[in-house]
Amino acid sequence: MEANGLGPQGFPELKNDTFLRAAWGEETDYTPVWCMRQAGRYLPEFRETRAAQDFFSTCRSPEACCELTLQPLRRFPLDAAIIFSDILVVPQALGMEVTMVPGKGPSFPEPLREEQDLERLRDPAVVASELGYVFQAITLTRQRLAGRVPLIGFAGAPWTLMTYMVEGGGSSTMAQAKRWLYQRPQASHQLLRILTDALVPYLVGQVAAGAQALQLFESHAGHLGPQLFNKFALPYIRDVAKRVKARLREAGLAPVPMIIFAKDGHFALEQLSQAGYEVVGLDWTVAPKKARRRLGSW
């Protein structure tokens, strides 16, 4: 700690590091708690703030994202904050139009339908520069947290982002996206590589901006069986972790714990535990004690 109470990046010194110590596998006095939908519609102040502008305008406002991130911490003794944003800002930064339709969810007016549609996407190298508003929100929130708890940054994993870009929104079957995997495997890998190339600098940028942990959401893992998951999801999950950690070292940034959360990915817990992440998130269908017995310590 520096004499002025600021940490090495100029942020207020962290007062509660329980979540980070747990994420690094260290013993803690108690089990730290944070909520996946921490900033959400269950809070009346969230609904009031969100009513002022449309969803993605809110995401592009550092001040609004900061306020929404901090709201649950004013009510509950949580051990971490997670920045308010959305995984679909990455497809937007790649040049795709995404809107949030009330009562329906995200919608892509022009989804990827053919292999040549990949040519519409921007160079993934420019994505981080398009997402400066996320970095600004993270920095502002770190400052206003005043060291109370750590701040988590996040992104969607390549397969999950691909499903939205191909389906044009949410889907109960992911039939269009899975058709790509079977009928256009090379184009699928090309798209997944583009997304990986976009995610790596985006996540590194979040750490540079002040994120103290990172979570990768593979929200649609359950739509893939073990074979498809091992071929089209797991390699890119591994690549993200490996490359983010390497880029952090190259940039002279301190390492941060990384969390992989693959919803309904119970069939891949062993592979995920060896994918380069410090934490494997479990969904409600997995008993933590059984997962611990399966995975042991790694």
Side-chain angles (χ1 to χ4, degrees):
M1 177 172 166
E2 298 176 6
N4 58 6
L6 299 180
Q9 285 178 280
F11 293 115
E13 194 72 20
L14 184 61
K15 302 182 183 85
N16 176 358
D17 67 350
T18 307
F19 166 79
L20 292 181
R21 287 191 289 115
W24 286 117
E26 300 173 13
E27 290 287 333
T28 58
D29 295 333
Y30 63 93
T31 302
V33 174
W34 69 278
C35 303
M36 196 76 79
R37 295 271 181 169
Q38 198 154 284
R41 289 185 291 270
Y42 71 99
L43 292 173
E45 57 268 39
F46 174 92
R47 297 195 298 271
E48 183 179 346
T49 304
R50 279 281 298 105
Q53 55 189 342
D54 70 75
F55 180 80
F56 284 111
S57 293
T58 302
C59 290
R60 287 189 288 272
S61 168
E63 187 69 40
C65 289
C66 176
E67 168 61 21
L68 291 167
T69 301
L70 296 177
Q71 284 176 353
L73 293 164
R74 298 184 186 124
R75 283 181 176 260
F76 309 113
L78 298 159
D79 293 291
I82 183 165
I83 194 67
F84 180 84
S85 186
D86 194 86
I87 65 172
L88 298 182
V89 298
V90 171
Q92 282 183 330
L94 284 167
M96 297 193 75
E97 181 184 354
V98 190
T99 59
M100 194 64 72
V101 180
K104 178 186 175 186
S107 176
F108 289 66
E110 296 184 54
L112 303 176
R113 289 295 183 223
E114 304 294 337
E115 188 170 345
Q116 56 264 34
D117 289 340
L118 297 180
E119 297 172 7
R120 290 165 26 203
L121 300 178
R122 290 181 184 141
D123 182 345
V126 309
V127 165
S129 64
E130 293 286 327
L131 295 172
Y133 57 85
V134 178
F135 306 147
Q136 292 168 25
I138 288 172
T139 300
L140 181 63
T141 305
R142 266 296 298 275
Q143 291 167 342
R144 292 193 182 164
L145 276 168
R148 179 175 172 180
V149 293
L151 180 61
I152 306 168
F154 70 91
W159 157 248
T160 291
L161 295 179
M162 174 183 169
T163 62
Y164 283 107
M165 295 164 75
V166 172
E167 294 286 343
S171 168
S172 61
T173 63
M174 302 297 165
Q176 297 286 345
K178 291 178 77 171
R179 185 175 288 116
W180 267 61
L181 303 185
Y182 285 113
Q183 297 182 354
R184 302 183 179 95
Q186 289 185 316
S188 296
H189 281 299
Q190 182 184 351
L191 175 54
L192 293 163
R193 283 192 297 269
I194 289 170
L195 289 164
T196 302
D197 290 345
L199 287 168
V200 171
Y202 177 48
L203 289 167
V204 171
Q206 291 188 42
V207 176
Q212 293 154 288
L214 295 172
Q215 176 150 310
L216 194 70
F217 284 87
E218 189 66 284
S219 306
H220 297 161
H223 290 279
L224 301 174
Q227 287 185 314
L228 288 177
F229 184 84
N230 289 341
K231 186 174 182 180
F232 291 103
L234 186 60
Y236 301 98
I237 289 172
R238 287 177 176 148
D239 203 29
V240 167
K242 179 181 178 181
R243 292 170 58 187
V244 165
K245 290 169 188 273
R247 289 279 291 270
L248 290 176
R249 288 192 297 269
E250 292 165 8
L253 292 167
V256 301
M258 295 184 69
I259 307 163
I260 177 63
F261 176 65
K263 185 175 181 295
D264 296 322
H266 50 85
F267 55 83
L269 289 183
E270 288 81 3
Q271 294 96 318
L272 291 168
S273 73
Q274 301 300 316
Y277 294 77
E278 283 66 41
V279 180
V280 174
L282 305 177
D283 64 36
W284 66 280
T285 68
V286 180
K289 285 185 178 180
K290 290 184 178 179
R292 174 58 73 190
R293 284 199 296 269
R294 282 173 62 181
L295 303 182
S297 298
W298 74 88

XYZ file of all heavy atoms in Angstrom, residues 40-132:
728
model
N -29.987 -5.938 -11.294
C -31.098 -6.524 -12.045
C -32.441 -5.950 -11.681
O -32.567 -5.073 -10.805
N -33.469 -6.471 -12.341
C -34.819 -5.915 -12.230
C -35.449 -6.126 -10.861
O -36.500 -5.555 -10.573
C -35.714 -6.522 -13.321
C -35.380 -6.028 -14.723
C -36.361 -6.554 -15.749
N -36.241 -7.983 -15.958
C -35.436 -8.531 -16.863
N -34.692 -7.771 -17.635
N -35.393 -9.839 -17.018
N -34.850 -6.940 -10.005
C -35.393 -7.109 -8.654
C -35.224 -5.834 -7.830
O -35.872 -5.665 -6.794
C -34.724 -8.295 -7.953
C -33.281 -8.068 -7.561
C -32.935 -7.710 -6.263
C -32.259 -8.197 -8.495
C -31.626 -7.494 -5.897
C -30.937 -7.987 -8.150
C -30.617 -7.633 -6.854
O -29.300 -7.414 -6.508
N -34.334 -4.916 -8.286
C -34.108 -3.665 -7.572
C -34.951 -2.546 -8.183
O -34.826 -2.253 -9.374
C -32.634 -3.268 -7.659
C -31.618 -4.147 -6.917
C -30.210 -3.698 -7.250
C -31.852 -4.087 -5.419
N -35.803 -1.903 -7.397
C -36.605 -0.806 -7.959
C -35.744 0.338 -8.489
O -36.083 0.958 -9.495
C -37.478 -0.348 -6.776
C -36.852 -0.942 -5.559
C -36.145 -2.167 -5.989
N -34.592 0.597 -7.856
C -33.726 1.667 -8.335
C -33.095 1.300 -9.679
O -32.822 2.178 -10.508
C -32.646 2.017 -7.299
C -31.764 0.862 -6.864
C -32.276 0.138 -5.626
O -33.505 -0.035 -5.505
O -31.440 -0.260 -4.798
N -32.872 -0.001 -9.907
C -32.389 -0.466 -11.212
C -33.429 -0.169 -12.280
O -33.115 0.376 -13.346
C -32.081 -1.962 -11.156
C -31.702 -2.574 -12.473
C -30.377 -2.667 -12.869
C -32.676 -3.080 -13.334
C -30.021 -3.238 -14.086
C -32.332 -3.650 -14.549
C -31.001 -3.728 -14.922
N -34.687 -0.530 -12.012
C -35.757 -0.302 -12.985
C -35.910 1.183 -13.290
O -36.126 1.572 -14.440
C -37.071 -0.894 -12.472
C -37.028 -2.413 -12.289
C -38.415 -3.009 -12.133
N -39.113 -2.509 -10.955
C -39.038 -3.056 -9.750
N -38.267 -4.116 -9.559
N -39.724 -2.551 -8.727
N -35.755 2.001 -12.268
C -35.881 3.455 -12.460
C -34.741 3.992 -13.325
O -34.965 4.784 -14.250
C -35.886 4.150 -11.096
C -36.075 5.656 -11.194
C -36.094 6.311 -9.828
O -36.224 5.597 -8.808
O -35.974 7.548 -9.781
N -33.531 3.559 -13.051
C -32.379 4.017 -13.832
C -32.482 3.551 -15.273
O -32.220 4.308 -16.219
C -31.066 3.508 -13.205
O -30.986 3.936 -11.847
C -29.851 4.022 -13.967
N -32.867 2.281 -15.462
C -32.953 1.706 -16.806
C -34.059 2.340 -17.646
O -33.978 2.369 -18.872
C -33.191 0.190 -16.700
C -31.932 -0.609 -16.433
C -31.112 -0.812 -17.707
N -31.893 -1.590 -18.685
C -32.461 -1.102 -19.742
N -32.377 0.166 -20.045
N -33.150 -1.890 -20.562
N -35.102 2.853 -16.990
C -36.231 3.425 -17.724
C -35.852 4.709 -18.460
O -36.557 5.144 -19.369
C -37.394 3.697 -16.775
N -34.722 5.290 -18.084
C -34.335 6.584 -18.653
C -33.863 6.491 -20.099
O -33.930 7.477 -20.835
C -33.247 7.219 -17.790
N -33.360 5.316 -20.529
C -32.859 5.178 -21.899
C -32.872 3.711 -22.304
O -33.014 2.829 -21.461
C -31.457 5.768 -22.022
C -30.448 5.215 -21.038
C -29.140 5.990 -21.053
O -28.838 6.716 -21.977
N -28.342 5.835 -20.007
N -32.703 3.442 -23.603
C -32.745 2.057 -24.067
C -31.522 1.292 -23.570
O -30.544 1.876 -23.107
C -32.863 1.991 -25.596
C -31.601 2.425 -26.302
O -30.627 1.659 -26.322
O -31.581 3.554 -26.850
N -31.591 -0.021 -23.705
C -30.611 -0.890 -23.058
C -29.181 -0.598 -23.507
O -28.274 -0.399 -22.681
C -30.951 -2.363 -23.326
C -29.977 -3.311 -22.696
C -30.070 -3.614 -21.339
C -28.968 -3.899 -23.439
C -29.166 -4.474 -20.739
C -28.054 -4.765 -22.845
C -28.168 -5.050 -21.492
N -28.933 -0.588 -24.816
C -27.550 -0.436 -25.271
C -27.056 0.999 -25.118
O -25.848 1.218 -25.010
C -27.388 -0.953 -26.694
C -27.361 -2.463 -26.765
C -28.413 -3.163 -27.347
C -26.314 -3.182 -26.220
C -28.398 -4.553 -27.392
C -26.290 -4.569 -26.255
C -27.328 -5.263 -26.845
N -27.954 1.976 -25.077
C -27.535 3.334 -24.726
C -27.049 3.358 -23.283
O -26.073 4.047 -22.948
C -28.689 4.320 -24.915
O -29.031 4.447 -26.275
N -27.720 2.604 -22.436
C -27.270 2.480 -21.052
C -25.887 1.851 -20.996
O -25.004 2.324 -20.279
C -28.267 1.638 -20.234
O -29.559 2.236 -20.293
C -27.828 1.520 -18.780
N -25.688 0.774 -21.771
C -24.382 0.099 -21.800
C -23.274 1.035 -22.261
O -22.119 0.886 -21.852
C -24.426 -1.121 -22.720
S -25.410 -2.504 -22.095
N -23.616 1.995 -23.115
C -22.605 2.914 -23.652
C -22.386 4.144 -22.770
O -21.569 5.001 -23.098
C -23.000 3.344 -25.070
C -22.807 2.251 -26.114
C -23.001 2.770 -27.522
N -24.400 3.046 -27.821
C -25.266 2.146 -28.300
N -24.856 0.914 -28.551
N -26.519 2.479 -28.551
N -23.087 4.204 -21.646
C -22.937 5.320 -20.719
C -22.130 4.879 -19.498
O -22.652 4.151 -18.636
C -24.306 5.831 -20.256
O -24.166 6.706 -19.158
N -20.857 5.266 -19.390
C -20.064 4.873 -18.221
C -20.712 5.265 -16.897
O -20.677 4.495 -15.931
C -18.734 5.595 -18.440
C -18.627 5.742 -19.924
C -20.037 5.995 -20.381
N -21.330 6.441 -16.864
C -21.964 6.907 -15.632
C -23.128 5.991 -15.245
O -23.272 5.607 -14.075
C -22.461 8.340 -15.817
C -22.978 8.991 -14.558
C -21.901 9.292 -13.539
O -20.810 9.723 -13.929
O -22.172 9.070 -12.344
N -23.965 5.617 -16.228
C -25.109 4.743 -15.943
C -24.631 3.350 -15.532
O -25.174 2.756 -14.590
C -26.019 4.655 -17.166
N -23.628 2.816 -16.226
C -23.110 1.484 -15.886
C -22.519 1.463 -14.482
O -22.704 0.505 -13.728
C -22.047 1.053 -16.894
S -22.713 0.669 -18.528
N -21.818 2.522 -14.139
C -21.257 2.632 -12.790
C -22.367 2.643 -11.746
O -22.323 1.898 -10.758
C -20.401 3.886 -12.700
S -19.732 4.206 -11.052
N -23.393 3.461 -11.959
C -24.494 3.563 -11.009
C -25.193 2.213 -10.841
O -25.462 1.769 -9.711
C -25.486 4.629 -11.472
C -26.824 4.650 -10.732
C -26.701 4.915 -9.240
O -25.663 5.467 -8.807
O -27.643 4.567 -8.509
N -25.463 1.519 -11.944
C -26.147 0.230 -11.868
C -25.284 -0.823 -11.185
O -25.795 -1.696 -10.470
C -26.537 -0.233 -13.273
C -27.647 0.594 -13.945
C -27.743 0.265 -15.422
C -28.991 0.351 -13.253
N -23.980 -0.753 -11.387
C -23.069 -1.695 -10.732
C -23.058 -1.493 -9.224
O -22.986 -2.464 -8.460
C -21.645 -1.517 -11.290
O -21.656 -1.738 -12.701
C -20.673 -2.490 -10.637
N -23.123 -0.249 -8.796
C -23.010 0.059 -7.368
C -24.311 -0.131 -6.598
O -24.287 -0.335 -5.376
C -22.531 1.506 -7.195
C -21.126 1.820 -7.722
C -20.822 3.302 -7.549
C -20.079 0.972 -7.022
N -25.458 -0.074 -7.278
C -26.745 -0.128 -6.578
C -26.894 -1.322 -5.634
O -27.272 -1.146 -4.464
C -27.893 -0.087 -7.591
C -28.137 1.299 -8.164
C -29.212 1.313 -9.235
O -29.704 0.272 -9.664
N -29.582 2.514 -9.678
N -26.629 -2.553 -6.066
C -26.824 -3.676 -5.131
C -25.892 -3.637 -3.927
O -26.243 -4.137 -2.852
C -26.555 -4.912 -6.002
C -25.818 -4.408 -7.195
C -26.272 -3.019 -7.420
N -24.719 -3.006 -4.083
C -23.782 -2.930 -2.962
C -24.269 -1.971 -1.882
O -23.832 -2.060 -0.734
C -22.409 -2.492 -3.472
C -21.708 -3.516 -4.368
C -20.574 -2.868 -5.124
C -21.214 -4.694 -3.559
N -25.167 -1.084 -2.237
C -25.730 -0.175 -1.232
C -26.763 -0.890 -0.357
O -27.071 -0.429 0.740
C -26.374 1.035 -1.920
C -25.373 1.868 -2.716
C -26.027 3.112 -3.313
N -25.101 3.812 -4.190
C -25.347 4.106 -5.463
N -26.525 3.792 -5.999
N -24.443 4.730 -6.199
N -27.282 -2.003 -0.868
C -28.319 -2.739 -0.133
C -27.774 -3.966 0.592
O -28.278 -4.320 1.669
C -29.414 -3.218 -1.093
C -30.391 -2.146 -1.542
C -31.416 -2.786 -2.472
N -32.451 -1.843 -2.884
C -33.664 -1.779 -2.354
N -33.991 -2.598 -1.371
N -34.544 -0.910 -2.804
N -26.790 -4.628 0.009
C -26.379 -5.945 0.500
C -24.877 -6.002 0.755
O -24.094 -5.370 0.036
C -26.760 -7.028 -0.518
C -28.195 -6.968 -0.966
C -28.516 -6.635 -2.276
C -29.222 -7.216 -0.077
C -29.834 -6.568 -2.692
C -30.548 -7.149 -0.475
C -30.857 -6.820 -1.791
N -24.443 -6.779 1.753
C -23.016 -6.911 2.072
C -22.317 -7.901 1.134
O -21.802 -8.943 1.558
C -23.030 -7.393 3.523
C -24.286 -8.206 3.615
C -25.294 -7.508 2.719
N -22.288 -7.593 -0.134
C -21.699 -8.487 -1.134
C -20.176 -8.372 -1.126
O -19.616 -7.364 -0.677
C -22.255 -8.142 -2.515
C -23.773 -8.321 -2.653
C -24.314 -7.508 -3.819
C -24.120 -9.798 -2.815
N -19.514 -9.390 -1.656
C -18.046 -9.441 -1.615
C -17.391 -9.116 -2.948
O -16.163 -9.158 -3.049
C -17.598 -10.832 -1.150
C -17.987 -11.079 0.304
O -17.394 -10.429 1.181
O -18.896 -11.899 0.548
N -18.174 -8.803 -3.962
C -17.620 -8.392 -5.250
C -18.685 -7.638 -6.022
O -19.888 -7.787 -5.769
C -17.146 -9.602 -6.067
N -18.235 -6.824 -6.942
C -19.123 -6.151 -7.889
C -18.794 -6.669 -9.281
O -17.647 -7.013 -9.560
C -18.912 -4.640 -7.829
N -19.788 -6.750 -10.151
C -19.546 -7.126 -11.552
C -20.078 -5.983 -12.412
O -21.194 -5.507 -12.220
C -20.204 -8.478 -11.920
C -19.856 -8.849 -13.366
C -21.686 -8.514 -11.636
C -20.141 -10.303 -13.726
N -19.245 -5.535 -13.328
C -19.578 -4.346 -14.104
C -20.866 -4.570 -14.897
O -21.102 -5.655 -15.443
C -18.416 -3.959 -15.057
C -18.599 -2.547 -15.606
C -18.241 -4.978 -16.169
C -18.493 -1.464 -14.575
N -21.709 -3.557 -14.943
C -22.924 -3.663 -15.748
C -22.551 -3.450 -17.213
O -22.022 -2.408 -17.597
C -23.962 -2.619 -15.329
C -25.228 -2.703 -16.142
C -26.226 -3.606 -15.794
C -25.403 -1.932 -17.279
C -27.383 -3.713 -16.551
C -26.549 -2.031 -18.043
C -27.543 -2.923 -17.684
N -22.823 -4.459 -18.020
C -22.572 -4.390 -19.462
C -23.345 -5.538 -20.088
O -24.281 -6.072 -19.492
C -21.069 -4.486 -19.764
O -20.819 -4.280 -21.149
N -22.963 -5.952 -21.286
C -23.638 -7.064 -21.951
C -22.643 -7.772 -22.853
O -21.755 -7.135 -23.434
C -24.822 -6.565 -22.782
C -25.740 -7.707 -23.211
O -26.636 -8.069 -22.432
O -25.536 -8.248 -24.316
N -22.797 -9.079 -22.996
C -21.865 -9.828 -23.843
C -21.987 -9.438 -25.313
O -21.040 -9.611 -26.083
C -22.044 -11.353 -23.678
C -23.414 -11.817 -24.179
C -21.800 -11.772 -22.240
C -23.567 -13.343 -24.210
N -23.130 -8.864 -25.705
C -23.356 -8.587 -27.131
C -22.756 -7.267 -27.600
O -22.887 -6.912 -28.777
C -24.850 -8.645 -27.445
C -25.493 -10.022 -27.199
C -26.961 -10.006 -27.574
C -24.758 -11.123 -27.972
N -22.049 -6.571 -26.720
C -21.316 -5.389 -27.202
C -20.186 -5.808 -28.135
O -19.742 -5.014 -28.967
C -20.779 -4.534 -26.033
C -21.930 -4.011 -25.188
C -19.765 -5.295 -25.191
N -19.727 -7.067 -28.030
C -18.646 -7.535 -28.922
C -19.147 -7.707 -30.356
O -18.519 -7.185 -31.291
C -18.000 -8.821 -28.362
C -17.045 -9.442 -29.388
C -17.241 -8.499 -27.074
N -20.260 -8.410 -30.603
C -20.788 -8.422 -31.976
C -21.087 -7.026 -32.513
O -20.869 -6.757 -33.705
C -22.067 -9.260 -31.859
C -21.824 -10.151 -30.700
C -21.001 -9.337 -29.739
N -21.566 -6.142 -31.664
C -21.785 -4.761 -32.101
C -20.479 -4.131 -32.569
O -20.428 -3.479 -33.617
C -22.371 -3.922 -30.960
C -23.849 -4.135 -30.718
C -24.388 -3.223 -29.627
O -23.666 -2.852 -28.705
N -25.648 -2.869 -29.717
N -19.420 -4.327 -31.803
C -18.129 -3.745 -32.155
C -17.556 -4.365 -33.429
O -16.751 -3.736 -34.115
C -17.148 -3.911 -30.994
N -17.994 -5.580 -33.744
C -17.588 -6.225 -34.995
C -18.413 -5.737 -36.181
O -18.201 -6.189 -37.308
C -17.697 -7.742 -34.871
C -16.587 -8.429 -34.067
C -16.972 -9.870 -33.741
C -15.256 -8.388 -34.826
N -19.354 -4.845 -35.926
C -20.116 -4.232 -37.004
C -21.527 -4.727 -37.172
O -22.233 -4.296 -38.099
N -21.992 -5.615 -36.298
C -23.358 -6.126 -36.410
C -24.325 -5.244 -35.617
O -23.992 -4.752 -34.534
C -23.442 -7.563 -35.914
C -22.606 -8.537 -36.733
S -23.006 -10.269 -36.376
C -24.581 -10.445 -37.230
N -25.506 -5.042 -36.182
C -26.532 -4.283 -35.476
C -27.230 -5.205 -34.482
O -27.627 -6.319 -34.825
C -27.559 -3.709 -36.459
C -28.640 -2.887 -35.778
C -29.718 -2.396 -36.731
O -29.574 -2.601 -37.958
O -30.715 -1.827 -36.251
N -27.353 -4.743 -33.249
C -28.044 -5.498 -32.207
C -28.977 -4.543 -31.485
O -28.562 -3.458 -31.080
C -27.075 -6.116 -31.181
C -27.829 -7.090 -30.269
C -25.902 -6.805 -31.851
N -30.226 -4.935 -31.344
C -31.179 -4.144 -30.577
C -31.748 -5.014 -29.464
O -31.717 -6.252 -29.553
C -32.330 -3.628 -31.460
O -33.003 -4.753 -32.042
C -31.804 -2.723 -32.562
N -32.241 -4.378 -28.422
C -32.887 -5.109 -27.331
C -34.380 -4.847 -27.422
O -34.832 -3.716 -27.214
C -32.327 -4.660 -25.981
C -32.675 -5.580 -24.837
S -31.962 -7.268 -24.971
C -30.229 -6.951 -24.655
N -35.136 -5.852 -27.781
C -36.572 -5.721 -27.989
C -37.312 -6.032 -26.689
O -37.173 -7.137 -26.153
C -37.060 -6.665 -29.111
C -38.560 -6.511 -29.322
C -36.291 -6.415 -30.398
N -38.080 -5.083 -26.155
C -38.808 -5.338 -24.904
C -39.683 -6.583 -25.011
O -40.416 -6.761 -25.978
C -39.658 -4.070 -24.727
C -38.905 -3.000 -25.479
C -38.301 -3.710 -26.656
N -39.570 -7.448 -24.024
C -40.371 -8.661 -23.990
C -39.837 -9.796 -24.837
O -40.338 -10.920 -24.768
N -38.816 -9.522 -25.657
C -38.257 -10.553 -26.526
C -36.788 -10.806 -26.247
O -36.319 -11.935 -26.248
C -38.431 -10.156 -27.991
C -37.826 -11.151 -28.979
C -37.910 -10.630 -30.406
C -37.202 -11.572 -31.373
N -37.143 -11.030 -32.754
N -36.041 -9.739 -26.039
C -34.609 -9.875 -25.814
C -33.809 -9.370 -26.993
O -34.315 -8.621 -27.832
N -32.545 -9.788 -27.101
C -31.680 -9.265 -28.162
C -32.127 -9.714 -29.544
O -32.607 -10.840 -29.725
C -30.303 -9.832 -27.817
C -30.584 -11.049 -26.997
C -31.830 -10.745 -26.232
N -31.962 -8.814 -30.510
C -32.352 -9.117 -31.887
C -31.290 -8.579 -32.852
O -30.850 -7.439 -32.718
C -33.706 -8.481 -32.204
O -34.053 -8.685 -33.566
N -30.892 -9.416 -33.795
C -29.956 -9.047 -34.860
C -30.762 -8.959 -36.154
O -31.157 -9.987 -36.709
C -28.869 -10.107 -35.031
C -27.852 -10.181 -33.920
C -28.214 -10.588 -32.638
C -26.515 -9.865 -34.155
C -27.282 -10.677 -31.623
C -25.576 -9.948 -33.153
C -25.959 -10.358 -31.878
N -31.038 -7.753 -36.659
C -31.833 -7.633 -37.893
C -31.219 -8.346 -39.088
O -31.946 -8.847 -39.944
C -31.892 -6.115 -38.118
C -31.662 -5.514 -36.779
C -30.716 -6.441 -36.083
N -29.889 -8.414 -39.129
C -29.203 -9.085 -40.243
C -28.208 -10.099 -39.691
O -26.999 -9.853 -39.655
C -28.484 -8.063 -41.126
C -29.422 -7.097 -41.828
C -28.675 -6.168 -42.765
O -27.933 -6.666 -43.629
O -28.827 -4.939 -42.626
N -28.691 -11.265 -39.279
C -27.784 -12.284 -38.736
C -26.891 -12.878 -39.829
O -27.106 -12.644 -41.018
C -28.737 -13.332 -38.170
C -29.998 -13.174 -38.955
C -30.095 -11.708 -39.274
N -25.912 -13.634 -39.400
C -25.028 -14.321 -40.347
C -25.764 -15.542 -40.893
O -26.130 -16.433 -40.131
C -23.740 -14.758 -39.635
C -22.939 -13.651 -38.943
C -21.742 -14.250 -38.204
C -22.481 -12.599 -39.938
N -25.984 -15.576 -42.172
C -26.718 -16.677 -42.788
C -25.839 -17.542 -43.697
O -26.026 -18.743 -43.807
C -27.901 -16.138 -43.602
C -29.029 -15.581 -42.756
C -29.676 -16.666 -41.927
N -30.809 -16.174 -41.151
C -31.037 -16.497 -39.894
N -30.192 -17.290 -39.264
N -32.083 -16.018 -39.254
N -24.906 -16.906 -44.394
C -24.042 -17.624 -45.316
C -22.586 -17.383 -44.944
O -22.254 -16.420 -44.255
C -24.283 -17.156 -46.770
C -25.728 -17.265 -47.234
C -26.217 -18.695 -47.331
O -25.367 -19.605 -47.460
O -27.437 -18.903 -47.269
N -21.717 -18.244 -45.458
C -20.298 -18.129 -45.152
C -19.743 -16.761 -45.545
O -18.943 -16.167 -44.819
C -19.533 -19.238 -45.873
C -18.077 -19.337 -45.495
C -17.438 -20.598 -46.041
O -18.170 -21.517 -46.457
O -16.193 -20.650 -46.052
N -20.213 -16.232 -46.682
C -19.686 -14.945 -47.143
C -20.107 -13.782 -46.235
O -19.526 -12.691 -46.312
C -20.109 -14.649 -48.585
C -21.600 -14.668 -48.846
C -22.055 -16.017 -49.375
O -21.509 -17.053 -49.003
N -23.052 -16.001 -50.260
N -21.100 -14.020 -45.368
C -21.504 -12.971 -44.437
C -20.389 -12.614 -43.455
O -20.400 -11.527 -42.861
C -22.757 -13.383 -43.659
C -24.000 -13.400 -44.536
O -23.979 -12.761 -45.606
O -24.985 -14.051 -44.149
N -19.427 -13.522 -43.282
C -18.308 -13.228 -42.389
C -17.500 -12.044 -42.887
O -16.822 -11.364 -42.096
C -17.394 -14.458 -42.252
C -18.016 -15.709 -41.624
C -16.993 -16.828 -41.555
C -18.575 -15.404 -40.245
N -17.583 -11.779 -44.195
C -16.840 -10.653 -44.758
C -17.397 -9.313 -44.277
O -16.719 -8.284 -44.383
C -16.882 -10.720 -46.291
C -16.204 -11.961 -46.862
C -16.423 -12.126 -48.353
O -16.999 -11.200 -48.982
O -16.033 -13.173 -48.884
N -18.638 -9.313 -43.754
C -19.233 -8.086 -43.228
C -18.608 -7.668 -41.905
O -18.740 -6.511 -41.489
C -20.735 -8.283 -43.000
C -21.539 -8.411 -44.284
C -22.953 -8.954 -44.044
N -23.499 -8.691 -42.722
C -24.467 -9.418 -42.173
N -24.978 -10.461 -42.830
N -24.942 -9.125 -40.985
N -17.948 -8.588 -41.232
C -17.429 -8.300 -39.901
C -16.167 -7.448 -39.975
O -15.326 -7.626 -40.852
C -17.126 -9.607 -39.156
C -18.317 -10.545 -38.942
C -17.865 -11.821 -38.243
C -19.424 -9.855 -38.142
N -16.042 -6.547 -39.015
C -14.839 -5.721 -38.928
C -13.644 -6.567 -38.499
O -13.790 -7.652 -37.932
C -15.040 -4.602 -37.892
C -16.018 -3.525 -38.305
C -16.096 -2.468 -37.199
N -17.096 -1.459 -37.503
C -17.909 -0.917 -36.615
N -17.852 -1.305 -35.355
N -18.772 0.008 -36.962
N -12.473 -6.024 -38.718
C -11.243 -6.634 -38.234
C -11.331 -6.740 -36.705
O -11.580 -5.735 -36.025
C -10.062 -5.750 -38.641
C -8.715 -6.319 -38.214
O -8.670 -7.235 -37.369
O -7.695 -5.828 -38.741
N -11.142 -7.937 -36.129
C -11.247 -8.058 -34.666
C -10.236 -7.196 -33.915
O -10.432 -6.888 -32.737
C -11.010 -9.548 -34.413
C -10.370 -10.079 -35.651
C -10.888 -9.235 -36.773
N -9.179 -6.775 -34.597
C -8.173 -5.944 -33.932
C -8.725 -4.578 -33.519
O -8.159 -3.916 -32.646
C -6.961 -5.760 -34.839
N -9.829 -4.146 -34.149
C -10.378 -2.818 -33.832
C -11.429 -2.877 -32.728
O -11.897 -1.837 -32.264
C -10.991 -2.144 -35.083
C -10.018 -2.146 -36.245
C -12.317 -2.800 -35.486
N -11.800 -4.077 -32.309
C -12.915 -4.211 -31.366
C -12.646 -3.482 -30.059
O -13.507 -2.750 -29.545
C -13.236 -5.699 -31.122
C -14.116 -5.876 -29.890
C -13.934 -6.291 -32.340
N -11.458 -3.666 -29.492
C -11.168 -3.028 -28.206
C -11.290 -1.512 -28.301
O -11.795 -0.863 -27.374
C -9.778 -3.427 -27.716
N -10.867 -0.947 -29.432
C -10.956 0.509 -29.583
C -12.403 0.973 -29.699
O -12.728 2.116 -29.382
C -10.154 0.972 -30.804
O -10.698 0.439 -32.001
N -13.294 0.064 -30.152
C -14.719 0.397 -30.252
C -15.425 0.311 -28.896
O -16.540 0.805 -28.745
C -15.411 -0.568 -31.228
C -14.978 -0.431 -32.675
C -15.552 0.814 -33.336
O -16.680 1.185 -32.978
O -14.861 1.405 -34.173
N -14.771 -0.329 -27.940
C -15.424 -0.601 -26.651
C -14.813 0.210 -25.521
O -14.852 -0.196 -24.354
C -15.363 -2.100 -26.342
C -16.164 -2.972 -27.319
C -15.904 -4.450 -27.079
C -17.658 -2.663 -27.218
N -14.295 1.374 -25.854
C -13.722 2.241 -24.833
C -14.702 2.620 -23.744
O -14.312 2.853 -22.593
